[in-house]
Amino acid sequence: MYNANKPDASELPSTGKLLKSTGIAVVIASALLVTVVLPAEYGVDPTRIGSMLGLTEMGRIKMQLAAEAEAEEAGVQPAPVAPAVVAAAPATGVASETAPGVRTDETVLTLAPDQGAEIKLVMDEGARVAFTWTSSGGAVNFDTHADRPGTPYHGYGKGTEQRVEGELVAAFTGSHGWFWRNRTGEPVTITLRTEGAYSEVKRVV
């Protein structure tokens, strides 16, 4: 059948234009991969743009939840390992006015079934914090870890417990703390008590 609308050869884009368009598309896709996809999906942020947009933390949490789900599907409880968490009773009788730089806090979180939450302490390298956390409604999944620019995840230990007591020693200057996931099927309240050398307590999620 005759096609009356067939374009003239001069109207078609040249090979050079097609290559240029393809190159531009590749550059844009690569930029989006590095600045958006990697931080949001895998917690990897080589450009730091993901951290500024809040995507890196989201990606890191996704990776934690994926690992947690795989462990649950396999029916294997992750064994607690703590290369930088030394079992110790919380320090007592130490007040901030007699020990500059030392503070104490009590943080209370209520988690609905399947809800997760994360608390981080801002600490300098080598700083120590004595801690105790308890769950009011049974054992919960936990992941003790840290992060800093360039290091999206540094694990201290993980497992499933109702109460954990110890001392957290900062492997580097950055944010150090705990992520909890409530798999009990009922609401639980987590009470975290901390005492030591840290400058801030922040809830990440």
Side-chain angles (χ1 to χ4, degrees), residues 97-110:
E97 60 268 18
T98 59
V102 174
R103 60 181 285 177
T104 60
D105 289 278
E106 179 176 294
T107 307
V108 179
L109 304 170
T110 299

Side-chain angles (χ1 to χ4, degrees), residues 85-100:
V85 179
V86 182
T92 58
V94 179
S96 58
E97 60 268 18
T98 59

Side-chain angles (χ1 to χ4, degrees), residues 1 6 8 12 32 37-38 42 69-70 74-75 80 83 89 105 107 123 129 149 151 156 159 165 168 181 185 197 204:
M1 181 177 179
K6 183 177 179 180
D8 187 82
L12 296 175
L32 289 174
V37 177
L38 288 179
Y42 303 102
E70 289 179 4
D105 289 278
T107 307
M123 302 171 63
V129 171
T151 306
Y156 290 126
E165 179 178 350
L168 182 61
R181 173 71 66 181
V204 179

Side-chain angles (χ1 to χ4, degrees), residues 105-130:
D105 289 278
E106 179 176 294
T107 307
V108 179
L109 304 170
T110 299
L111 300 182
D114 296 324
Q115 184 181 5
E118 185 171 7
I119 294 294
K120 288 288 183 63
L121 309 179
V122 179
M123 302 171 63
D124 292 331
E125 181 177 354
R128 296 173 178 268
V129 171

Side-chain angles (χ1 to χ4, degrees), residues 20-41:
K20 182 178 179 181
S21 299
T22 302
I24 293 173
V26 170
V27 170
I28 293 174
S30 299
L32 289 174
L33 174 67
V34 173
T35 60
V36 178
V37 177
L38 288 179
E41 296 298 327

